[in-house]
């Protein structure tokens, strides 16, 4: 009786272990395989080996020598600008929506929520025209402007959720000292919400770093291209011979920093995502 | 002029401050979202082209549907559009269903305490952090018909007799797109469900265990209703994302008819064919589809699963 119970427990443990192994393999194998491919010499790629049969940095050298480095810089610039801009704008909006009762508040929240559901394609034609009209076509400015539609509703929504959690007493103390809304935001909300602001900034950064449709449509030249477009358009001598080693090297270069960021700030990011998914 | 400020004026002053604080955000949204959307709607009623957008005529609803000389024209008369609608619906239903089932299962497994759990939870989130374009490329390489590791493995194990052209075969390409989306987006469902599971009161389980209720019954009777609000949000987010899918389809299979989503269709008309009017009409239809889905969700979200029957 006792032995069979222990056996059952062991069997169940082994089964659970196998389940976890399967989950981990599903989640991590594609990235692991990209890493393997990126260091495999070109002549060995056809073997589809699970561990690198040789070792080379040729793919990394090739990718980083081309226009790809410029694309990384462009992506970083655009993503940082969009993150800073969205957080700054959303601070005021989030405070107002969370803390000031005014007529039309519900309508504004609903408008922000609706914009966050817009399919990008619905604004593509109008945005194309606007970007051209403002002389921003094929420039990073076009991307900063168009990414606001992806970033700002999310940032404002999540900030509203976070701002609701700030104790009212602190705000009232600031008001008694004669601080206006802007001073209250700067003195009370920014310090208290710093983890939340980091989370929102990071999530916006990642969104902008990953965006593809607008970048594909509003930029043309290598000098203005961002990382996702550069990777999608990486090609070899002919359409039938894609440089898989180089593509995987590029994939590793742009993904590892994001994965590292996501893991380092995991708790922040999870809290931001959860706040974004709660109803207002 | 009185010196005492009454509560009513104070409230009015606060309300004014609220609008000032909101003004930059609302202005930015009007410029980046409201105006382009309005222009897209307007352009859909014209015959504008990308080459010369200034030179156009008002054509009414002709871009949507028009009967002329015994022939139907417009987006709604284009079989390719309906093919895209079908692809998008199949993709959305299949990927969201798989992500929901897998996401809940993985979340339940990761809710059990074990050594190294934090590490496994972090690892499971990794695909979510991988850029969509990169995910598409990673899988395009693994699914490659000649050199792909999945074909190699399946051949070695004797599962298939000849390599399969996953992304080129019209019957399989949509499956490939669904697989990649499931890989990339399941972590999002896991995350939301895990958070909901952690907030569940332990007493329900204790009571159920004492009563000797089968775990599967416990799941459907106790756990599922309790995590339903979080799961509903996850499903809605995923569904809205799936209906507007672009990157994954475009990078994995380009403008191939067998996988083309409605967003890919609209962009092809707009940019590749330079037909601003027709493409805007398609874009508007995408917008209406998503809007309808969002409204349906907002209606359904108020209901609990036992009420939906």
């Amino acid at each position: 009786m006792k032995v069979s119970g222990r056996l059952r427990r062991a069997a169940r443990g082994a089964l659970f272990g196998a389940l976890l192994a399967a989950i981990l393999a599903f989640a991590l194998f594609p990235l692991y395989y990209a890493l393997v491919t990126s260091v495999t010499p070109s002549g060995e790629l056809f073997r589809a080996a699970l561990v690198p049969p040789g070792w080379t940095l040729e793919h990394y050298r090739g990718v980083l020598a081309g226009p790809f480095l410029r694309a990384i810089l462009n992506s970083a610039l655009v993503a940082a600008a969009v993150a800073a801009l969205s957080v700054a704008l959303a601070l005021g909006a989030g405070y107002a929506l969370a803390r000031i009762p005014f007529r039309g508040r519900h309508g504004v929240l609903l408008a922000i929520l609706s914009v966050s559901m817009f399919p990008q394609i619905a604004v593509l034609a109008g945005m194309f025209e606007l970007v051209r009209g403002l002389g921003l076509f094929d420039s990073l400015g076009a991307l900063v402007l168009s990414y606001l539609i992806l970033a700002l509703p999310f940032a404002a929504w999540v900030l509203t959720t976070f701002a609701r959690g700030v104790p009212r007493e602190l705000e009232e103390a600031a008001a008694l000292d004669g601080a206006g809304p802007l001073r209250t935001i700067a003195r009370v909300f920014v310090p208290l919400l710093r983890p939340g602001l980091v989370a929102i900034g990071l999530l916006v950064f990642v969104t902008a770093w990953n965006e593809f449709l607008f970048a594909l449509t509003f930029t043309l030249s290598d000098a203005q291209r961002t990382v996702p477009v550069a990777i999608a358009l990486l090609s070899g001598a002919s359409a039938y011979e894609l440089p898989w080693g180089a593509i995987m090297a590029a994939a590793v270069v742009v993904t590892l920093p994001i994965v590292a960021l996501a893991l380092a700030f995991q708790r922040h990011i999870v809290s931001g995502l959860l706040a974004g998914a709660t109803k207002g | 002029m009185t010196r005492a400020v009454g509560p009513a004026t104070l409230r009015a002053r606060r309300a004014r401050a609220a609008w000032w604080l909101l003004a930059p955000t609302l202005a930015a949204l009007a410029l980046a979202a409201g105006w382009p959307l309005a222009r897209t709607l307007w352009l859909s009623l014209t015959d504008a082209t990308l080459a010369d957008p200034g030179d156009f005529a008002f054509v009414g609803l002709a871009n949507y549907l028009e009967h002329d000389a015994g022939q139907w024209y417009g987006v709604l008369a284009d079989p390719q559009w309906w093919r895209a609608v079908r692809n998008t619906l199949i993709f959305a239903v299949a990927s969201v269903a798989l992500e929901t089932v897998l996401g809940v299962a993985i979340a339940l497994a990761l809710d059990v305490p074990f050594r190294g759990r934090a590490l496994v939870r972090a690892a499971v989130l990794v695909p979510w952090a991988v850029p969509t374009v990169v995910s598409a490329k990673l899988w395009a390489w693994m699914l490659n018909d000649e050199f792909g590791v999945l074909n190699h493995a399946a051949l070695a194990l004797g599962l298939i007799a000849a390599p399969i052209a996953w992304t080129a075969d019209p019957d399989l390409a949509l499956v490939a797109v669904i697989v990649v989306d499931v890989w990339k987006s399941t972590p999002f469902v896991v995350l939301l469900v895990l958070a909901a599971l952690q907030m569940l009161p332990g007493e329900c389980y204790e009571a159920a265990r004492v009563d000797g209720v089968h775990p599967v019954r416990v799941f459907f009777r106790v756990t599922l209703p309790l995590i339903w609000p979080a799961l509903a949000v996850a499903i809605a987010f995923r569904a809205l994302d799936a209906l507007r899918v672009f990157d994954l389809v475009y990078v994995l299979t380009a403008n191939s008819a067998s996988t083309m989503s409605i967003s890919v269709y609209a962009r092809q008309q707009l940019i590749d064919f330079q037909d601003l009017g027709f493409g805007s009409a398609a874009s508007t239809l995408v917008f209406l589809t998503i809007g309808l889905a969002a409204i349906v969700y907002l209606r359904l979200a108020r209901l609990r699963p036992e009420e939906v029957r």
Side-chain angles (χ1 to χ4, degrees), chain A residues 26 37 89 117 122 129 132, chain B residues 25 39-40 50 141 183 244:
Chain A
F26 180 59
T37 303
L89 293 182
M117 293 178 183
E129 201 191 40
R132 262 216 299 227
Chain B
T25 298
R39 287 299 295 177
T40 302
L50 205 57
W141 171 227
W183 179 73
R244 60 191 166 193

Side-chain angles (χ1 to χ4, degrees), chain A residues 134-179:
Chain A
L134 294 172
L136 291 173
F137 186 72
D138 196 24
S139 81
L140 299 182
L143 301 186
V144 175
L145 174 67
S146 55
Y147 289 0
L148 284 180
I149 189 181
L150 304 172
L152 199 47
F154 167 78
W157 187 262
V158 177
L159 253 166
T160 306
T161 312
F162 283 160
R164 285 204 184 110
V166 173
R168 276 201 186 270
E169 301 80 52
L170 293 171
E171 189 191 344
E172 278 154 14
L176 281 181
D177 288 347

Side-chain angles (χ1 to χ4, degrees), chain B residues 190-207:
Chain B
V190 173
L191 197 103
L192 291 190
V193 174
L194 257 182
L197 284 173
Q198 275 156 9
M199 291 197 284
L200 289 191
E203 307 95 69
C204 303
Y205 290 109
E206 287 305 323

Side-chain angles (χ1 to χ4, degrees), chain A residues 28-94:
Chain A
L28 297 180
F29 181 76
L31 212 52
Y32 165 78
Y33 192 62
L35 213 55
V36 169
T37 303
S38 72
V39 297
T40 301
S42 296
E44 307 274 348
L45 282 179
F46 68 94
R47 286 168 50 184
L50 292 179
V51 285
W55 174 264
T56 175
L57 287 177
E58 63 172 292
H59 304 305
Y60 286 93
R61 246 180 261 124
V63 155
L64 293 176
F68 193 67
L69 215 52
R70 178 66 203 237
I72 293 178
L73 185 69
N74 288 342
S75 275
L77 277 174
V78 169
V82 175
L85 204 58
S86 324
V87 170
L89 293 182
L91 257 176

